[in-house]
Structure formats: structure tokens, C-alpha cells
Amino acid sequence: KDAQFESLGSNIIIVMPGSFGDSQGGGISGPPNYQGSKLKLTYIRDLEKLGPEITAVAPIFETSTKVIYQKNSKSTIMLATTENYTKVRNLKIASGRWLKKTDLNASAKVAVIGPSLAEKLFGNLKPLGKQISISQRRFEVVGISEKYGSMLGIDIDNAIYIPITTAQKVIGFDNLMQIMIKVKKQRSNYSNSKFSQKLFSTKTDQG
């Protein structure tokens, strides 16, 4: 298998590159193989078609980066994703807006930043509408997320989010690091057994 998954809470499943499955049809084999990832953005549509058990699917590409505003430069984690990320992670927006589907379609150079990063970059200034630089490209700040804390070792309040289609062009990657799937809360048993059979009958199992 070219993918593995694990649960994050009762209704969140994370699909990661690597090996899944043993002779009994369960278990994770080895750590995620991010460099050898075969998870593609096109798989999202396949996963969304698996049935009403799935309520949202969000692809993720993560990398460290420097964000620059005028002469102020800060190191942070960039999460490239889609409009569905807030549905999967219940991330709220304090001001402005989240990424839109139109941003994805247009590969727009827009960004949402965490509150800690906003304070570090802008101080008392209002970040919305300001131009920042990421990888020598200019992005417009369209939103600031609410205080969230850490998740999977990442300080979400210090992160920056951009459309994954934009990141593909700016950074030049083809494959994903993770796919986060939100399922109905009452289906934990389904998620741990039958879901795996359906999941790996899609293209994610074919590489």
C-alpha cells in the first residue's frame, strides 16, 4: 500500500504516505514516507465520493518558510490547503475571511495568518489587506484565525495558510503530505474497519 491512516479523535482520520496493512488487514507499517508520497490532489474527489459518512476532506502540504512584511521577517510553518480545512479542524476566523474555492480555482496569492504571527509581523497595525512576501512572491492577507493552540506539534497560532493550488506553483510540488478526513461522530467503528477497505479501493491505493 502507498498510504496509511490513523485517527485523530473520534471523527478525524489522517491519510499519510507510507505503508498500511498487515496480513490481518490492519496496522500501520513504519513512519510516514513524505518524500515518497504518492498522495495527489485528484484523490480528494475520490474520497468525497465514498459516501455520506464523510463530511469534509482537506489536503495538506506543510513546509517551513519565512514571511516578510516590510523589513520584518519571521520564520513559521506554512500550511497549504483548501476551503475545507476549517470544516475538518473547526478553525475559526477572528477577522477577514478564510480561503475560498475561487481562490483555489484561480491559484490566488492570498493568505490567512494566525494571531501570534499577525502580532509578530504587524504589531498594532491591522494586517487585513496588507502585502506580505513568501518565497519572493507577494500575498495579500485576507484573514486572521482565532487563537487555537497547538496541533500535531504545530503552533497553529503562528502558522500561515495559503491555497494549495498556489503553493503547487510557488513551491513546485505534485504530491501531498496529508489528507485529513472528517467523518460522522457516530461512525468510529466504521472508520476503524470498513472505512479502510473503501479508502484503499480508491486511487490512493494505486499510487
Side-chain angles (χ1 to χ4, degrees), residues 82-135:
T82 68
E83 73 279 6
N84 285 333
Y85 182 85
T86 51
K87 299 176 184 177
V88 175
R89 293 307 309 147
N90 295 321
L91 185 69
K92 307 297 183 183
I93 298 299
S95 60
R97 65 172 178 85
W98 179 246
L99 306 176
K100 296 180 179 180
K101 190 172 184 178
T102 52
D103 297 328
L104 276 293
N105 293 338
S107 299
K109 292 184 178 66
V110 296
V112 175
I113 60 178
S116 296
L117 181 59
E119 184 177 355
K120 292 175 184 177
L121 281 177
F122 298 99
N124 294 327
L125 298 177
K126 294 182 179 180
L128 294 182
K130 296 289 193 303
Q131 297 287 320
I132 57 176
S133 294
I134 308 170
S135 298

Side-chain angles (χ1 to χ4, degrees), residues 67-178:
V67 181
I68 302 172
Y69 175 67
Q70 296 181 350
K71 295 182 179 180
N72 199 0
S73 176
K74 298 297 179 183
S75 296
T76 186
I77 295 295
M78 182 182 74
L79 295 172
T81 186
T82 68
E83 73 279 6
N84 285 333
Y85 182 85
T86 51
K87 299 176 184 177
V88 175
R89 293 307 309 147
N90 295 321
L91 185 69
K92 307 297 183 183
I93 298 299
S95 60
R97 65 172 178 85
W98 179 246
L99 306 176
K100 296 180 179 180
K101 190 172 184 178
T102 52
D103 297 328
L104 276 293
N105 293 338
S107 299
K109 292 184 178 66
V110 296
V112 175
I113 60 178
S116 296
L117 181 59
E119 184 177 355
K120 292 175 184 177
L121 281 177
F122 298 99
N124 294 327
L125 298 177
K126 294 182 179 180
L128 294 182
K130 296 289 193 303
Q131 297 287 320
I132 57 176
S133 294
I134 308 170
S135 298
Q136 299 181 331
R137 307 294 205 286
R138 297 186 70 81
F139 285 72
E140 179 185 353
V141 178
V142 296
I144 303 171
S145 61
E146 286 187 355
K147 188 172 179 61
Y148 188 95
S150 297
M151 179 190 70
L152 299 176
I154 299 174
D155 182 1
I156 297 298
D157 297 337
N158 194 52
I160 185 168
Y161 307 85
I162 70 171
I164 197 166
T165 51
T166 308
Q168 285 181 315
K169 293 184 177 181
V170 172
I171 301 173
F173 66 91
D174 292 321
N175 300 330
L176 308 173
M177 295 182 70
Q178 295 179 2

Side-chain angles (χ1 to χ4, degrees), residues 28-71:
I28 293 176
S29 177
N33 179 21
Y34 293 124
Q35 290 186 339
S37 174
K38 295 183 179 180
L39 300 176
K40 299 184 181 298
L41 198 57
T42 54
Y43 295 166
I44 302 304
R45 290 189 294 271
D46 296 312
L47 294 171
E48 289 174 336
K49 294 176 181 177
L50 291 184
E53 300 86 0
I54 295 177
T55 59
V57 181
I60 296 172
F61 182 86
E62 171 193 325
T63 187
S64 58
T65 190
K66 282 189 176 181
V67 181
I68 302 172
Y69 175 67
Q70 296 181 350
K71 295 182 179 180

Side-chain angles (χ1 to χ4, degrees), residues 5-8 11-15 179-181 183 191 195:
F5 70 83
E6 63 181 27
S7 295
L8 179 65
N11 66 325
I12 302 295
I13 295 172
I14 304 177
V15 183
I179 300 175
M180 300 187 76
I181 304 169
V183 297
S191 302
F195 181 81

